[in-house]
Amino acid sequence: MTVSVREVAALAGVSIATVSNVINRPEKVAEATAERVHRAISELGYVRNDSARQLRAGRSATVGLIVLDVGNPFFADLARGAEDAALERGLAVILGNSNHSVVRERTYVDLFSERRVAGLLISPASDDLSALEPLVDQGTAVVLVDQRPTEGALSSVSVDDVSGGRLAGAHLLDIGRRRILFVGGPSTIPQVRDRLEGLRQVVGERGADRAVEVVEADALTVVEGRRIGALLTERPPADRPDAVFAANDLLALGLEQAFLMQGTVRVPDDIALVGYDDIAFAQSAVVPLTSVRQPAYEIGYRSIDTLVAQVGADHPGASQLQFLPELVVRQSTVSG
């Protein structure tokens, strides 16, 4: 038989509100009164119904997480970090995959809003964050993951992608490459733009022979990388780049596959290749891939920390945590 709060209050000789304060806000109750309530709880075997408490508060113990591509191992590692941190705090993570679609992203935002999630972690599909405003207005904590806000008061946990682009560009220039091509897209994705911006910065500062060539990808996938790689192999050798920086590892792996399948472009002899994220497949590629490493697991884990801090604050302010990326050099740029 379930014991009610009313029964606890009757045995302790206090009001139901006092029992609620002892359980949820003990600092508001005199010590002697709190002791009577705790004795009644022990004697009756009362167990707090957290689900009912959360429903009364209008919130659940769930956190929404919207990622750009659930098939990308980077986001899988990020989600794992968020899930581990959430479980430690008695929360559950519900995952939504926007698949780079703004429309699909907004559908998930609306769904999580209706579910009254405790908070939302999101890797946005574009710079337009207006769809998040209703969530913020209703008091839901929102944290951007893998992206910093350009304006406004949203918290974020991200990586300095401009620095990552600079790392890739400086490495390619250091090994003597001068005709550098950037592959990435769609251009609506801020991370893609920042990585290109970092590359352009360092190429401009170092006075390379010519400006960075850009090929915009339709998606950040292996298949799209193979398509673009096949187009590059069709160019006369004199018109090809001598280095390619891909906006993520999936694109870079697709490019490498196309070069190897065609057999006309050698990596790194003809084209040095750099990816981004340093997913597990980068190291195990036929030609191990040089990549700019992001701490995916830590981004997810710390995003939950940031969200929980917001939920627990009376007047939460926006906080930005930004990791620095790291270049991992492998055989796709340096042979031997």
Side-chain angles (χ1 to χ4, degrees):
M1 180 177 175
T2 302
V3 177
S4 68
V5 174
R6 185 180 301 278
E7 292 172 276
V8 173
L11 181 59
V14 299
S15 68
I16 293 174
T18 298
V19 175
S20 177
N21 281 336
V22 169
I23 295 170
N24 299 300
R25 294 173 293 276
E27 70 279 0
K28 292 189 173 185
V29 183
E31 184 175 345
T33 303
E35 287 179 359
R36 289 208 316 275
V37 171
H38 283 303
R39 283 198 300 269
I41 287 173
S42 297
E43 184 175 335
L44 294 172
Y46 170 79
V47 177
R48 180 173 64 171
N49 187 334
D50 273 326
S51 297
R53 179 178 59 84
Q54 291 151 8
L55 287 171
R56 285 194 296 273
R59 299 276 173 197
S60 69
T62 56
V63 173
L65 169 61
I66 303 174
V67 299
L68 289 172
D69 179 9
V70 75
N72 185 335
F74 168 79
F75 286 110
D77 287 344
L78 187 153
R80 186 166 54 85
E83 182 183 39
D84 285 352
L87 284 173
E88 291 173 8
R89 293 156 179 79
L91 299 169
V93 175
I94 302 176
L95 180 64
N97 176 34
S98 72
N99 201 29
H100 300 283
S101 166
V102 172
V103 173
R104 186 164 169 163
E105 174 186 286
R106 289 184 176 179
T107 299
Y108 275 116
V109 169
D110 290 343
L111 176 63
F112 290 147
S113 177
E114 292 169 3
R115 295 290 181 89
R116 301 288 289 176
V117 294
L120 175 66
L121 309 179
I122 180 170
S123 183
S126 75
D127 285 330
D128 183 5
L129 305 178
S130 59
L132 302 178
E133 292 173 1
L135 275 174
V136 175
D137 291 343
Q138 72 184 26
T140 302
V142 177
V143 176
L144 304 185
V145 294
D146 194 37
Q147 183 182 329
R148 282 177 66 92
T150 54
E151 58 183 18
L154 291 178
S155 294
S156 67
V157 179
S158 64
V159 168
D160 187 344
D161 285 315
V162 174
S163 292
R166 291 181 63 88
L167 284 174
H171 173 63
L172 292 172
L173 293 171
D174 286 344
I175 62 174
R177 307 303 167 115
R178 292 296 180 269
R179 302 189 310 278
I180 302 173
L181 180 146
F182 177 82
V183 176
S187 59
T188 53
I189 300 174
Q191 296 93 317
V192 171
R193 296 200 305 271
D194 285 350
R195 293 164 195 178
L196 173 57
E197 173 61 24
L199 173 63
R200 281 175 166 160
Q201 284 181 9
V202 74
V203 168
E205 292 165 5
R206 298 276 288 270
D209 297 341
R210 63 184 186 184
V212 173
E213 180 185 357
V214 177
V215 172
E216 182 163 341
D218 294 331
L220 297 168
T221 63
V222 172
V223 172
E224 181 68 355
R226 281 203 299 264
R227 182 186 72 82
I228 294 171
L231 294 176
L232 293 177
T233 63
E234 294 173 1
R235 295 186 185 182
D239 292 337
R240 293 175 190 153
D242 61 8
V244 175
F245 172 35
N248 78 348
D249 285 344
L250 297 182
L251 277 174
L253 291 169
L255 286 160
E256 181 180 299
Q257 290 174 12
F259 296 156
L260 293 174
M261 288 187 293
Q262 295 293 329
T264 56
V265 174
R266 298 168 299 168
V267 178
D269 303 76
D270 300 320
I271 296 180
L273 186 58
V274 177
Y276 205 104
D277 290 337
D278 196 35
I279 62 176
F281 295 127
Q283 186 173 3
S284 59
V286 175
V287 180
L289 181 65
T290 293
S291 184
V292 179
R293 175 180 292 165
Q294 296 196 86
Y297 181 91
E298 288 79 6
I299 292 172
Y301 194 98
R302 295 297 295 275
S303 295
I304 291 290
D305 283 343
T306 301
L307 185 143
V308 169
Q310 275 194 274
V311 171
D314 291 333
H315 302 286
S319 66
Q320 274 73 47
L321 172 62
Q322 190 170 56
F323 291 94
L324 288 175
E326 174 189 359
L327 182 71
V328 181
V329 178
R330 299 192 181 96
Q331 284 78 12
S332 69
T333 57
V334 179
S335 58

